[in-house]
Amino acid sequence: MTRRSRTDRARRAGADTGVDQELQEQGGWWTSPSTGSVAVATSVVRRLVWALMIAGPVLGGWALVSQPSADARPAPVVQSSSGDVAGPGGFAEMYVAAFLRAGEGSQNELAAFYPRAADLELGGKPDAVQVGQIAAVRVKEVASGRYWSVTVAARVLEPTPKNSAGSGTEQPLIRLRFFQVPIEADRDSGPLTALALPAEVAAPSGASSKAELAYNTPMPAQASDPAVDTLSAFFAAYLSGSGELGRYISPGTRLSPVRPAPYQSATVTQVAVETAFQDSDGDGQLGAPAGRERLRLVADVKAARTDVIARPLSYALTLAGRDGRWEVAALDATPQITLPDLPATRTAAPSNSPAQ
């Protein structure tokens, strides 16, 4: 190879090196990158793709939320099933609340529940009546999965009626009112619709209960009773955060204290044990367990708030014996009951207790 050829090749190599160096300084891309550059580039692209995938739904949701709406209160769509009364009950609650608040210009809001409301003549100012508590107190199924009659109770705050002199007190009236509404499902388990305006009715008559609690007469809680001692420590930890709850519950029982603690102290005032319990000593005490027996009872608790005001509470529990002491095996969902023509109805074990 001649000297001139070697010189030309050296010059070209130097020029290529200069271009590479200039591209590296400017952060550019070139056609013959190194292995390390490829790895870095691949990593950057992969991270960018993942970022776009994650941000896509978020940005889409933000765009939907940020769009202006022609109607600030869209029509609710409530689905129902033949065995679920929460659908028609909840729909009736919303319907009656909208009906009570309605006034001039509220036809569209009311038509979301009752389509014919668009042609109604409504007077007065909207929201003149304020709705406080509202609840469906009776849901009667007229046609399976298609038609219900719902009675709704509403505690309302109404303007004070003016007297003959044209004036009234400033204190509004608080009243408990009842309304009955017919609710239909559009096709089987379809959207719900009100078929008529609410009808104001008298308060439903209270039916006398034939069920009785399956417990003996309540007994005053005695501090010397081992069962009461366990219950007192348990409720102190459960309601007021005093002590470790795990010390007083059976292995496998899943219970957590109420957080934040709503009470400053908790005291067991009386207990009523299941009817099958026999007080062999006649002293009104449960005594210590002889083995691994289980005992269901209802405990009345006096829970004092931080302002020293006490509130009475009642709990159905299951105690279990272990190593000569009582432990809380479950907070039962409901107390046991007995009916005239049925044996004692046992409460199913809740999710926070071990299998029975």
Side-chain angles (χ1 to χ4, degrees):
M1 183 178 296
T2 63
R3 177 179 300 174
R4 182 175 183 180
S5 298
R6 289 195 296 270
T7 302
D8 292 341
R9 180 172 295 177
R11 290 175 179 175
R12 287 196 297 271
D16 293 341
T17 304
V19 172
D20 289 350
Q21 183 176 1
E22 181 179 359
L23 286 171
Q24 291 176 6
E25 291 175 353
Q26 296 178 359
W29 297 83
W30 57 94
T31 58
S32 300
S34 65
T35 303
S37 300
V38 172
V40 172
T42 302
S43 177
V44 171
V45 173
R46 184 183 294 112
R47 293 179 181 179
L48 179 61
V49 170
W50 275 106
L52 291 174
M53 290 176 64
I54 295 173
V58 177
L59 294 176
W62 176 83
L64 289 174
V65 173
S66 62
Q67 288 179 355
S69 174
D71 187 357
R73 288 175 286 197
V77 177
V78 180
Q79 299 294 122
S80 176
S81 63
S82 59
D84 181 14
V85 298
F91 182 88
E93 291 173 5
M94 293 189 296
Y95 175 37
V96 171
F99 169 78
L100 289 170
R101 292 194 303 264
E104 187 176 356
S106 301
Q107 285 86 348
N108 288 339
E109 180 182 353
L110 199 57
F113 305 93
Y114 175 50
R116 294 177 58 187
D119 301 325
L120 292 176
E121 292 185 7
L122 299 176
K125 295 181 179 180
D127 295 321
V129 174
Q130 297 294 319
V131 181
Q133 297 171 308
I134 190 164
V137 294
R138 180 173 296 172
V139 179
K140 181 180 179 180
E141 190 174 52
V142 180
S144 179
R146 290 295 305 273
Y147 193 31
W148 299 265
S149 172
V150 183
T151 303
V152 175
R155 192 178 300 277
V156 298
L157 193 66
E158 301 177 348
T160 302
K162 294 182 179 180
N163 55 31
S164 58
S167 61
T169 61
E170 297 181 357
Q171 187 69 27
L173 299 176
I174 300 177
R175 289 180 176 172
L176 182 61
R177 299 165 64 182
F178 295 85
F179 298 87
Q180 188 170 285
V181 293
I183 304 296
E184 181 199 26
D186 183 14
R187 298 179 303 275
D188 189 27
S189 300
L192 299 172
T193 305
L195 297 185
L197 287 168
E200 187 148 3
V201 295
S205 58
S208 58
S209 175
K210 297 181 180 179
E212 295 182 358
L213 293 180
Y215 301 87
N216 290 320
T217 303
M219 305 178 297
Q222 301 184 35
S224 59
D225 191 334
V228 173
D229 182 63
T230 294
L231 291 171
S232 298
F234 168 79
F235 284 113
Y238 186 70
L239 295 174
S240 65
S242 176
E244 183 182 350
L245 186 67
R247 295 180 56 187
Y248 310 106
I249 61 179
S250 298
T253 299
R254 296 182 298 274
L255 281 174
S256 299
V258 181
R259 299 274 176 79
Y263 301 102
Q264 190 174 40
S265 64
T267 305
V268 179
T269 58
Q270 62 181 15
V271 294
V273 299
E274 59 185 342
T275 308
F277 171 75
Q278 299 295 329
D279 182 9
S280 57
D281 296 332
D283 58 358
Q285 296 195 25
L286 301 179
R292 303 183 68 86
E293 61 264 44
R294 301 174 74 85
L295 180 66
R296 287 178 171 84
L297 52 85
V298 171
D300 291 343
V301 179
K302 184 173 69 175
R305 305 184 314 214
T306 54
D307 58 2
V308 196
I309 301 299
R311 180 178 297 278
L313 304 171
S314 183
Y315 291 87
L317 307 94
T318 299
L319 297 184
R322 187 168 73 96
D323 298 333
R325 64 188 182 94
W326 292 109
E327 296 174 332
V328 175
L331 280 179
D332 298 329
T334 59
Q336 294 183 84
I337 61 171
T338 57
L339 295 172
D341 54 345
L342 293 175
T345 302
R346 304 191 75 113
T347 303
S351 59
N352 58 12
S353 66
Q356 303 285 318

